[in-house]
Amino acid sequence: MHFNGRERVVIDGPFTEAKELIAGYWIWECASREEAIEWLKRAPFDRGEEVELRLVDDARERLTGETQV
Amino acid sequence: MEPSATHRAIDGVWRIESARLVAGLTRVVRDVSVAEDLAQDALVAALQQWPREGIPTNPGAWLIATAKRRGIDALRRRVTLERKQELIGRELQIVQQLDQPDLMAQVDDVQDDVLRLVFMTCHPVLSRDARVALTLRLLGGLSTPEIARAFLVSEGTITQRIVRAKRTLTQARVPFEVPGRDELGSRLAAVLEVIYLVFNEGYAATAGEHWVRPALCQDALRLGRVLAALMPREAEVHGLLALMELQASRLRARVGAHGEPVLLADQDRARWDHLLVQRGLAELHAAEQLGGALGPYALQGAIAGCHARARSVEETDWPRIVALYDGLAALTGSPVVELNRAVAVTMAFGPEAGMELVDALADEPALRGYHRLPSVRGDLLVRLGRHDEAREEFLRRRSLRQRLRARAAPLARSKLQRVSRACHARGTPARERGGVSPPAKADPRSGGRANRPSCPDRPICTISLRRLSVSCGLVRRVSRRPQPLRNHSEDNMRKLILHMIISTDGFVSTEDGNVNPAAHWSEEIQRHYTDLFDRAGGVVFGRNLYEQYVGHYSKVAAGEISAETDLAPEDADNEHFVASHLAWTKRLMDMDKFVVSNSLSPTTPAIGVISGDIEAQIQQLKQQDGGDLLLMCGPSLFAVLNASQLIDEYMFYVYPNALGRGKHLYRDVAAPISLTPERSVPFADGMELREYTPEYAA
C-alpha cells in the first residue's frame, strides 16, 4: 500500500525481493486479507511511504494445528 | 475488485467499525435498539453501494452519516404515517438528536462510547445468555447466523434472544454510561464473566461435535484485548486477558493426533504458541504492575503463567503456584480450589504435605460426592507406597458414586443414570481433566511421570463459573417483571408442548411415585434436552414434578450436588457430557418457570404460581411474548389441560418397558383423545420420542 497525503493506493503483488530499508514491522491478527487492508488504510502515514502486507501465520492453524482451507 | 473481495472488505470494515458505530449512535439516540437498526440500515446501504462505487476513503464516517440520514428519513416517514401520540414524541426527539450538525464531532469520543456500550450489553438486568449474544453481536460485530453457529443453536433462538434483550434494556431504561466507582467492581465482574464465558465455550465446548472451538476463543480474546485497551487501569481486565492468552497458547497442544485430549503434564511444550504465551505474560505483568491484591482472574492467569514459563513439569515453580492458590482459596473459599492447592503442595513439598491437606478436606461437605477427592487421595497413596490403602480409595471412589446414585433414586429424579453403552461408545472423548487423573499404569516411556499427579490445566474455572452463575441467579430476578400482554393473532401464540416420560403401557410413574426406572441420561438425550430447553421460552410444571425436578436440578446447578452423579458411572469422566449437563441445569434455572398449584405460595419471585382459574391463566401465558412453553406434569393436570384443549403438541418419551401399575397417563382423562402423529425419533438406548398433535390443534 502506497501512502500519499490522505490517499492510499493498494498495489497487488507479488513483489520482488526487498532491497530497500525495512524500517519496522507489525504483526496483526485479522480475519481476512481485506480486513488487514482496511486496518492498514488507517495507518497514519502521508509522505510516500509504502507498506507491504504479507501473510506470516494462520491464527486458526496456530490454535488448532489445522491448516485453514 | 471482484465482488467477493469487496464483501470481505465490507466484512472487515464492519468488524473494525460496527462497535464504534453502534456505540456512537446509542449515545445520540439513547436507545440501543434504534441505534442497531440504524447501523444495520447503513450496512445494507454499504452492501448495495460499495461494490458499485468502491469503498469510501473514510468508511466509518460514511457509515455514520448514512445511518443518520436513513434514520431521519425513516423516522420522519413513520411519524407522518402513524398517529400514536407517545411514539411521535419519542421519535421526533430522536430525529432532533440525529439532526444535530455536530454529530460527527460528538462521535470523536467513540472509545468512551464503546466502553459504555460494553457495560450496557453486559448489564445484570439481562440473562447470561442474552448478555453473551448481545455482546458478540454489538461489540464483536458478529452476525446472528455467526452467533447461532458458534453456540450451535438455531438462528431464530439467537434473533429472539437479541430482540428480547434489546427490549429489556429499553424497558428497564438502562443508562448508557460507565458505572460509578461504587458499583464498578461488580459491573466489571459481569463484563469479564461474559467474555470468559465466550472463551470457555470455545475452550471447552458444552455443545457440538468438537470439544474445542477456536473461533470462539478468538472472539473472546479480541473482546478482551479491546477491553484491556479501554480500561488499562483495571488489573482484573489484564488478569482475564492474561488467563485467556495463556490458556489459548495451549490449545494446539491439548489435542492429540487422534483428537484425544492431552493432559498438561503430557503436553509437548514446543507446540505451545509462544506468541500467545508472550502476550499472556505481558498482560500478567501489566496486572501486577498496577499494584494491589490480584483478583481471581489475575491469580488464575498467574498460575497459568507459572506453567507457561516452565520448560517441563519438574521445572515448574510449584511453591509459587501454591502461594497463588493460597490467594485464590482466600478469595473464593472453594474446597475445590483447596483440592487443587493440595496437588500443587504435593508437587512443591512432596506427597506427605499434600496428604495432610487432602485428609483435612475429607470431611468437607461440599466435596462429598466429588469423586476427584478419593481420586487425588488414591493418587497420593500410590506415591507414598501405600498401595493397599490406595486400592481402597479407588474402590471408595467407585462405591461413592454408586451410593450417591442409589440415594438419589428415591428422590424420584426424572432420569436415572444407567446409560446405553452404544451412546457412550459414540460419545465425545473424556476431557482434559481439571483436577488430578487417576494413577497411570507404569509406562516405561513416561519415566517418572506415572507416579506423578497430573497438574491441573484449568485450575478453577468450574468454580468461578459456579460462583458467577449464583450471582447471576440473584440478579436475574430483576428482569422477571411480568411481560406486557400483547395482542396476538391465534397463529403466533406460543405453544404449550407436553413433555412426558412414559412406559410402553402408558404409565408416567411407578407405584411408589418414582419416574420410570428405565429413564436415564445419555449423551444423546442430553443433546436433545439442551436444544429443546434452549428453544423453549419457559416451563409449566405440575406441583409434584416441580418439587422433584427443580428441587433436584437446582442443587446440581448450584453445585451442591455434583453433575457427575446424575450420569452413569462410566460417563462421570466424560467431561464434555458433565459440562453440558451442568450447563443444561443452569439453563433450566435461568428459564421462566410456572407452577400450577393451589397450595404452593410463591417462595421466590423467580417462579410464577398458577392457581385458581388455571385455564385462563395458561391461556394468558400463551399469549405473552417468548418461546414455546414446555409442560411437565402428572396425569391430573394433563387431563385438565387436555380437556380445555390448551396443549398444542404432545412429546412422549417412550421407554422400552412396561410397568403394569403406577400412575397412568390417561387416569383422569374422561373422553377419548385423537392424535395426529407428527414424528418419531428413535434414540440409541431404546427410548423413542413420539410427537403428536391433538386433533383439536391440527
PDB file of all heavy atoms in Angstrom, chain A residues 8-32:
ATOM      1  N   ARG A   8      -4.587   6.455  -0.350  1.00  0.00           N
ATOM      2  CA  ARG A   8      -3.963   5.146  -0.169  1.00  0.00           C
ATOM      3  C   ARG A   8      -4.164   4.338  -1.444  1.00  0.00           C
ATOM      4  O   ARG A   8      -5.289   4.203  -1.909  1.00  0.00           O
ATOM      5  CB  ARG A   8      -4.630   4.384   0.984  1.00  0.00           C
ATOM      6  CG  ARG A   8      -4.057   4.679   2.356  1.00  0.00           C
ATOM      7  CD  ARG A   8      -4.942   5.622   3.155  1.00  0.00           C
ATOM      8  NE  ARG A   8      -4.386   5.934   4.461  1.00  0.00           N
ATOM      9  CZ  ARG A   8      -3.518   6.908   4.692  1.00  0.00           C
ATOM     10  NH1 ARG A   8      -3.041   7.638   3.701  1.00  0.00           N
ATOM     11  NH2 ARG A   8      -3.097   7.155   5.914  1.00  0.00           N
ATOM     12  N   VAL A   9      -3.081   3.828  -1.984  1.00  0.00           N
ATOM     13  CA  VAL A   9      -3.201   3.028  -3.202  1.00  0.00           C
ATOM     14  C   VAL A   9      -2.755   1.597  -2.898  1.00  0.00           C
ATOM     15  O   VAL A   9      -1.642   1.373  -2.414  1.00  0.00           O
ATOM     16  CB  VAL A   9      -2.329   3.614  -4.340  1.00  0.00           C
ATOM     17  CG1 VAL A   9      -2.532   2.800  -5.613  1.00  0.00           C
ATOM     18  CG2 VAL A   9      -2.701   5.069  -4.566  1.00  0.00           C
ATOM     19  N   VAL A  10      -3.665   0.680  -3.169  1.00  0.00           N
ATOM     20  CA  VAL A  10      -3.330  -0.724  -2.935  1.00  0.00           C
ATOM     21  C   VAL A  10      -2.746  -1.299  -4.221  1.00  0.00           C
ATOM     22  O   VAL A  10      -3.367  -1.250  -5.276  1.00  0.00           O
ATOM     23  CB  VAL A  10      -4.584  -1.528  -2.528  1.00  0.00           C
ATOM     24  CG1 VAL A  10      -4.220  -2.982  -2.264  1.00  0.00           C
ATOM     25  CG2 VAL A  10      -5.232  -0.906  -1.301  1.00  0.00           C
ATOM     26  N   ILE A  11      -1.533  -1.797  -4.120  1.00  0.00           N
ATOM     27  CA  ILE A  11      -0.872  -2.385  -5.287  1.00  0.00           C
ATOM     28  C   ILE A  11      -0.748  -3.887  -5.028  1.00  0.00           C
ATOM     29  O   ILE A  11      -0.198  -4.300  -3.999  1.00  0.00           O
ATOM     30  CB  ILE A  11       0.533  -1.783  -5.481  1.00  0.00           C
ATOM     31  CG1 ILE A  11       0.428  -0.250  -5.503  1.00  0.00           C
ATOM     32  CG2 ILE A  11       1.186  -2.324  -6.739  1.00  0.00           C
ATOM     33  CD1 ILE A  11       1.670   0.445  -5.021  1.00  0.00           C
ATOM     34  N   ASP A  12      -1.293  -4.681  -5.973  1.00  0.00           N
ATOM     35  CA  ASP A  12      -1.226  -6.122  -5.775  1.00  0.00           C
ATOM     36  C   ASP A  12       0.174  -6.653  -6.060  1.00  0.00           C
ATOM     37  O   ASP A  12       0.857  -6.170  -6.956  1.00  0.00           O
ATOM     38  CB  ASP A  12      -2.230  -6.820  -6.705  1.00  0.00           C
ATOM     39  CG  ASP A  12      -3.636  -6.687  -6.155  1.00  0.00           C
ATOM     40  OD1 ASP A  12      -3.761  -6.451  -4.933  1.00  0.00           O
ATOM     41  OD2 ASP A  12      -4.592  -6.798  -6.928  1.00  0.00           O
ATOM     42  N   GLY A  13       0.578  -7.664  -5.305  1.00  0.00           N
ATOM     43  CA  GLY A  13       1.863  -8.313  -5.513  1.00  0.00           C
ATOM     44  C   GLY A  13       1.775  -9.268  -6.686  1.00  0.00           C
ATOM     45  O   GLY A  13       0.841  -9.157  -7.476  1.00  0.00           O
ATOM     46  N   PRO A  14       2.687 -10.198  -6.884  1.00  0.00           N
ATOM     47  CA  PRO A  14       3.818 -10.468  -5.983  1.00  0.00           C
ATOM     48  C   PRO A  14       4.923  -9.417  -6.111  1.00  0.00           C
ATOM     49  O   PRO A  14       5.045  -8.764  -7.134  1.00  0.00           O
ATOM     50  CB  PRO A  14       4.329 -11.836  -6.456  1.00  0.00           C
ATOM     51  CG  PRO A  14       3.907 -11.916  -7.883  1.00  0.00           C
ATOM     52  CD  PRO A  14       2.644 -11.133  -8.007  1.00  0.00           C
ATOM     53  N   PHE A  15       5.692  -9.294  -5.031  1.00  0.00           N
ATOM     54  CA  PHE A  15       6.771  -8.321  -5.012  1.00  0.00           C
ATOM     55  C   PHE A  15       8.111  -9.017  -5.088  1.00  0.00           C
ATOM     56  O   PHE A  15       8.268 -10.120  -4.576  1.00  0.00           O
ATOM     57  CB  PHE A  15       6.696  -7.486  -3.718  1.00  0.00           C
ATOM     58  CG  PHE A  15       5.380  -6.798  -3.560  1.00  0.00           C
ATOM     59  CD1 PHE A  15       4.453  -7.265  -2.656  1.00  0.00           C
ATOM     60  CD2 PHE A  15       5.060  -5.706  -4.346  1.00  0.00           C
ATOM     61  CE1 PHE A  15       3.229  -6.648  -2.515  1.00  0.00           C
ATOM     62  CE2 PHE A  15       3.830  -5.083  -4.209  1.00  0.00           C
ATOM     63  CZ  PHE A  15       2.914  -5.556  -3.293  1.00  0.00           C
ATOM     64  N   THR A  16       9.061  -8.339  -5.695  1.00  0.00           N
ATOM     65  CA  THR A  16      10.408  -8.913  -5.736  1.00  0.00           C
ATOM     66  C   THR A  16      11.078  -8.701  -4.398  1.00  0.00           C
ATOM     67  O   THR A  16      10.582  -7.971  -3.540  1.00  0.00           O
ATOM     68  CB  THR A  16      11.237  -8.239  -6.836  1.00  0.00           C
ATOM     69  OG1 THR A  16      11.130  -6.832  -6.642  1.00  0.00           O
ATOM     70  CG2 THR A  16      10.738  -8.619  -8.206  1.00  0.00           C
ATOM     71  N   GLU A  17      12.193  -9.301  -4.270  1.00  0.00           N
ATOM     72  CA  GLU A  17      12.960  -9.220  -3.029  1.00  0.00           C
ATOM     73  C   GLU A  17      13.215  -7.752  -2.662  1.00  0.00           C
ATOM     74  O   GLU A  17      13.558  -6.952  -3.517  1.00  0.00           O
ATOM     75  CB  GLU A  17      14.292  -9.925  -3.264  1.00  0.00           C
ATOM     76  CG  GLU A  17      15.046 -10.252  -2.011  1.00  0.00           C
ATOM     77  CD  GLU A  17      16.347 -10.959  -2.358  1.00  0.00           C
ATOM     78  OE1 GLU A  17      16.368 -11.674  -3.388  1.00  0.00           O
ATOM     79  OE2 GLU A  17      17.315 -10.773  -1.629  1.00  0.00           O
ATOM     80  N   ALA A  18      13.026  -7.401  -1.382  1.00  0.00           N
ATOM     81  CA  ALA A  18      13.159  -6.002  -0.983  1.00  0.00           C
ATOM     82  C   ALA A  18      14.623  -5.608  -0.876  1.00  0.00           C
ATOM     83  O   ALA A  18      15.400  -6.253  -0.184  1.00  0.00           O
ATOM     84  CB  ALA A  18      12.460  -5.792   0.356  1.00  0.00           C
ATOM     85  N   LYS A  19      14.996  -4.543  -1.603  1.00  0.00           N
ATOM     86  CA  LYS A  19      16.367  -4.038  -1.457  1.00  0.00           C
ATOM     87  C   LYS A  19      16.364  -2.774  -0.607  1.00  0.00           C
ATOM     88  O   LYS A  19      17.391  -2.294  -0.179  1.00  0.00           O
ATOM     89  CB  LYS A  19      16.957  -3.731  -2.838  1.00  0.00           C
ATOM     90  CG  LYS A  19      17.252  -5.004  -3.617  1.00  0.00           C
ATOM     91  CD  LYS A  19      18.178  -4.699  -4.798  1.00  0.00           C
ATOM     92  CE  LYS A  19      18.460  -5.960  -5.592  1.00  0.00           C
ATOM     93  NZ  LYS A  19      17.600  -6.090  -6.770  1.00  0.00           N
ATOM     94  N   GLU A  20      15.132  -2.241  -0.408  1.00  0.00           N
ATOM     95  CA  GLU A  20      15.036  -1.006   0.371  1.00  0.00           C
ATOM     96  C   GLU A  20      15.187  -1.334   1.857  1.00  0.00           C
ATOM     97  O   GLU A  20      15.152  -2.477   2.268  1.00  0.00           O
ATOM     98  CB  GLU A  20      13.658  -0.350   0.138  1.00  0.00           C
ATOM     99  CG  GLU A  20      13.211  -0.311  -1.293  1.00  0.00           C
ATOM    100  CD  GLU A  20      14.142   0.518  -2.171  1.00  0.00           C
ATOM    101  OE1 GLU A  20      14.730   1.471  -1.648  1.00  0.00           O
ATOM    102  OE2 GLU A  20      14.305   0.177  -3.364  1.00  0.00           O
ATOM    103  N   LEU A  21      15.284  -0.262   2.610  1.00  0.00           N
ATOM    104  CA  LEU A  21      15.374  -0.409   4.059  1.00  0.00           C
ATOM    105  C   LEU A  21      14.018  -0.847   4.628  1.00  0.00           C
ATOM    106  O   LEU A  21      12.980  -0.300   4.263  1.00  0.00           O
ATOM    107  CB  LEU A  21      15.777   0.948   4.662  1.00  0.00           C
ATOM    108  CG  LEU A  21      15.739   1.017   6.188  1.00  0.00           C
ATOM    109  CD1 LEU A  21      16.918   0.235   6.765  1.00  0.00           C
ATOM    110  CD2 LEU A  21      15.787   2.469   6.638  1.00  0.00           C
ATOM    111  N   ILE A  22      14.044  -1.840   5.486  1.00  0.00           N
ATOM    112  CA  ILE A  22      12.825  -2.163   6.233  1.00  0.00           C
ATOM    113  C   ILE A  22      12.911  -1.436   7.565  1.00  0.00           C
ATOM    114  O   ILE A  22      13.822  -1.669   8.365  1.00  0.00           O
ATOM    115  CB  ILE A  22      12.691  -3.680   6.445  1.00  0.00           C
ATOM    116  CG1 ILE A  22      12.478  -4.361   5.091  1.00  0.00           C
ATOM    117  CG2 ILE A  22      11.514  -3.976   7.374  1.00  0.00           C
ATOM    118  CD1 ILE A  22      12.313  -5.845   5.160  1.00  0.00           C
ATOM    119  N   ALA A  23      11.992  -0.512   7.771  1.00  0.00           N
ATOM    120  CA  ALA A  23      12.108   0.376   8.929  1.00  0.00           C
ATOM    121  C   ALA A  23      11.342  -0.144  10.137  1.00  0.00           C
ATOM    122  O   ALA A  23      11.472   0.395  11.219  1.00  0.00           O
ATOM    123  CB  ALA A  23      11.614   1.767   8.562  1.00  0.00           C
ATOM    124  N   GLY A  24      10.560  -1.155   9.937  1.00  0.00           N
ATOM    125  CA  GLY A  24       9.814  -1.657  11.081  1.00  0.00           C
ATOM    126  C   GLY A  24       8.740  -2.612  10.615  1.00  0.00           C
ATOM    127  O   GLY A  24       8.525  -2.773   9.412  1.00  0.00           O
ATOM    128  N   TYR A  25       8.113  -3.280  11.551  1.00  0.00           N
ATOM    129  CA  TYR A  25       7.031  -4.177  11.149  1.00  0.00           C
ATOM    130  C   TYR A  25       6.011  -4.295  12.268  1.00  0.00           C
ATOM    131  O   TYR A  25       6.286  -3.985  13.431  1.00  0.00           O
ATOM    132  CB  TYR A  25       7.570  -5.576  10.799  1.00  0.00           C
ATOM    133  CG  TYR A  25       8.193  -6.304  11.963  1.00  0.00           C
ATOM    134  CD1 TYR A  25       7.410  -7.142  12.767  1.00  0.00           C
ATOM    135  CD2 TYR A  25       9.547  -6.158  12.268  1.00  0.00           C
ATOM    136  CE1 TYR A  25       7.972  -7.791  13.844  1.00  0.00           C
ATOM    137  CE2 TYR A  25      10.108  -6.803  13.338  1.00  0.00           C
ATOM    138  CZ  TYR A  25       9.321  -7.627  14.128  1.00  0.00           C
ATOM    139  OH  TYR A  25       9.862  -8.268  15.193  1.00  0.00           O
ATOM    140  N   TRP A  26       4.807  -4.690  11.866  1.00  0.00           N
ATOM    141  CA  TRP A  26       3.770  -5.040  12.828  1.00  0.00           C
ATOM    142  C   TRP A  26       3.368  -6.490  12.587  1.00  0.00           C
ATOM    143  O   TRP A  26       3.424  -6.949  11.447  1.00  0.00           O
ATOM    144  CB  TRP A  26       2.497  -4.221  12.586  1.00  0.00           C
ATOM    145  CG  TRP A  26       2.538  -2.795  12.972  1.00  0.00           C
ATOM    146  CD1 TRP A  26       2.799  -2.280  14.201  1.00  0.00           C
ATOM    147  CD2 TRP A  26       2.249  -1.682  12.118  1.00  0.00           C
ATOM    148  NE1 TRP A  26       2.701  -0.905  14.162  1.00  0.00           N
ATOM    149  CE2 TRP A  26       2.357  -0.509  12.901  1.00  0.00           C
ATOM    150  CE3 TRP A  26       1.892  -1.547  10.770  1.00  0.00           C
ATOM    151  CZ2 TRP A  26       2.133   0.759  12.396  1.00  0.00           C
ATOM    152  CZ3 TRP A  26       1.664  -0.286  10.260  1.00  0.00           C
ATOM    153  CH2 TRP A  26       1.799   0.859  11.063  1.00  0.00           C
ATOM    154  N   ILE A  27       2.924  -7.170  13.614  1.00  0.00           N
ATOM    155  CA  ILE A  27       2.239  -8.450  13.399  1.00  0.00           C
ATOM    156  C   ILE A  27       0.790  -8.226  13.815  1.00  0.00           C
ATOM    157  O   ILE A  27       0.517  -7.821  14.948  1.00  0.00           O
ATOM    158  CB  ILE A  27       2.869  -9.586  14.226  1.00  0.00           C
ATOM    159  CG1 ILE A  27       4.311  -9.812  13.762  1.00  0.00           C
ATOM    160  CG2 ILE A  27       2.051 -10.866  14.055  1.00  0.00           C
ATOM    161  CD1 ILE A  27       5.039 -10.895  14.528  1.00  0.00           C
ATOM    162  N   TRP A  28      -0.100  -8.446  12.882  1.00  0.00           N
ATOM    163  CA  TRP A  28      -1.519  -8.231  13.146  1.00  0.00           C
ATOM    164  C   TRP A  28      -2.279  -9.542  13.074  1.00  0.00           C
ATOM    165  O   TRP A  28      -1.905 -10.446  12.316  1.00  0.00           O
ATOM    166  CB  TRP A  28      -2.127  -7.308  12.071  1.00  0.00           C
ATOM    167  CG  TRP A  28      -1.702  -5.885  12.189  1.00  0.00           C
ATOM    168  CD1 TRP A  28      -0.997  -5.315  13.210  1.00  0.00           C
ATOM    169  CD2 TRP A  28      -1.951  -4.850  11.227  1.00  0.00           C
ATOM    170  NE1 TRP A  28      -0.803  -3.986  12.948  1.00  0.00           N
ATOM    171  CE2 TRP A  28      -1.373  -3.678  11.751  1.00  0.00           C
ATOM    172  CE3 TRP A  28      -2.607  -4.801  10.007  1.00  0.00           C
ATOM    173  CZ2 TRP A  28      -1.436  -2.464  11.072  1.00  0.00           C
ATOM    174  CZ3 TRP A  28      -2.672  -3.602   9.329  1.00  0.00           C
ATOM    175  CH2 TRP A  28      -2.090  -2.438   9.862  1.00  0.00           C
ATOM    176  N   GLU A  29      -3.363  -9.607  13.814  1.00  0.00           N
ATOM    177  CA  GLU A  29      -4.258 -10.749  13.688  1.00  0.00           C
ATOM    178  C   GLU A  29      -5.568 -10.230  13.117  1.00  0.00           C
ATOM    179  O   GLU A  29      -6.258  -9.440  13.748  1.00  0.00           O
ATOM    180  CB  GLU A  29      -4.496 -11.381  15.059  1.00  0.00           C
ATOM    181  CG  GLU A  29      -5.216 -12.696  14.983  1.00  0.00           C
ATOM    182  CD  GLU A  29      -5.362 -13.306  16.366  1.00  0.00           C
ATOM    183  OE1 GLU A  29      -4.354 -13.386  17.096  1.00  0.00           O
ATOM    184  OE2 GLU A  29      -6.492 -13.670  16.709  1.00  0.00           O
ATOM    185  N   CYS A  30      -5.900 -10.652  11.905  1.00  0.00           N
ATOM    186  CA  CYS A  30      -7.106 -10.175  11.235  1.00  0.00           C
ATOM    187  C   CYS A  30      -7.874 -11.368  10.683  1.00  0.00           C
ATOM    188  O   CYS A  30      -7.318 -12.444  10.497  1.00  0.00           O
ATOM    189  CB  CYS A  30      -6.752  -9.238  10.087  1.00  0.00           C
ATOM    190  SG  CYS A  30      -5.928  -7.740  10.625  1.00  0.00           S
ATOM    191  N   ALA A  31      -9.153 -11.125  10.404  1.00  0.00           N
ATOM    192  CA  ALA A  31      -9.986 -12.220   9.910  1.00  0.00           C
ATOM    193  C   ALA A  31      -9.719 -12.507   8.437  1.00  0.00           C
ATOM    194  O   ALA A  31      -9.938 -13.623   7.972  1.00  0.00           O
ATOM    195  CB  ALA A  31     -11.450 -11.908  10.130  1.00  0.00           C
ATOM    196  N   SER A  32      -9.264 -11.513   7.691  1.00  0.00           N
ATOM    197  CA  SER A  32      -9.033 -11.732   6.266  1.00  0.00           C
ATOM    198  C   SER A  32      -7.991 -10.733   5.775  1.00  0.00           C
ATOM    199  O   SER A  32      -7.677  -9.747   6.455  1.00  0.00           O
ATOM    200  CB  SER A  32     -10.336 -11.545   5.481  1.00  0.00           C
ATOM    201  OG  SER A  32     -10.748 -10.189   5.557  1.00  0.00           O
TER     202      SER A  32
END
